[in-house]
Amino acid sequence: MRTRQRFTLDDGRVFDRNVNAATESELADHVSAAGARLEARVAEQDASEAVAQGVSTAYQTATLFQVQYAWLQKGFNETDPVTAYDILKEVAPAVLSLGYTAAQYAVAFGSTEEEAQRLLDRWAYLDSRSDTEIEAARALKQGDL
């Protein structure tokens, strides 16, 4: 059995999706699961859009944690240490002020504990550099030295 389902988010955005089920009795569960997957995907996209627009608070359907996680991921994936530091400093101090363990951050971010630990380790490494080191690296990068 296949049906076309219209999902409307709280902010008014509308999405049409095909939902399949083996039987009519399974259809309600499949529609519910499709709605949950859609909401998660849209929130993830909203978090990425927040980062692209320089927003570090909750944005559209993305929660504060989802936006912060998107910032942390962007900083983690940045190869230039100065740029990574600038990206991470947008949210890392606020995130770390919660005092969570890597396992607790993983739950909050919807990630694995290992991934949360890698993000925290990257910030700890960059944040351990002195302001002088960061500014010297920035000047070098900009060609001022």
Side-chain angles (χ1 to χ4, degrees), residues 14-132:
V14 176
F15 299 88
D16 291 318
R17 296 288 186 265
N18 291 325
V19 179
N20 299 317
T23 65
E24 192 166 334
S25 62
E26 293 177 346
L27 188 58
D29 288 339
H30 287 242
V31 167
S32 178
R37 284 190 307 273
L38 174 67
E39 287 177 3
R41 194 169 351 161
V42 169
E44 193 174 301
Q45 290 170 347
D46 288 346
S48 294
E49 184 180 331
V51 172
Q53 294 193 20
V55 175
S56 57
T57 59
Y59 182 79
Q60 292 185 346
T61 61
T63 65
L64 174 61
F65 273 130
Q66 288 168 319
V67 171
Q68 289 173 330
Y69 183 63
W71 275 101
L72 292 172
Q73 283 183 312
K74 182 177 179 184
F76 179 81
N77 292 326
E78 176 57 51
T79 57
D80 176 64
V82 174
T83 304
Y85 176 82
D86 290 340
I87 293 167
L88 289 169
K89 76 177 180 185
E90 287 294 322
V91 297
V95 170
L96 292 176
S97 73
L98 298 173
Y100 289 0
T101 65
Q104 291 169 314
Y105 283 120
V107 170
F109 295 144
S111 71
T112 66
E113 185 175 345
E114 293 76 23
E115 186 175 1
Q117 188 61 57
R118 283 194 307 269
L119 293 170
L120 296 171
D121 290 347
R122 176 78 190 250
W123 172 249
Y125 170 76
L126 291 170
D127 194 43
S128 70
R129 308 292 107 196
S130 70
D131 289 342
T132 305

Side-chain angles (χ1 to χ4, degrees), residues 78 80 82-84 86 136-145:
E78 176 57 51
D80 176 64
V82 174
T83 304
D86 290 340
R138 188 183 318 282
L140 204 83
K141 178 180 170 187
Q142 294 171 346
D144 294 341
L145 290 180

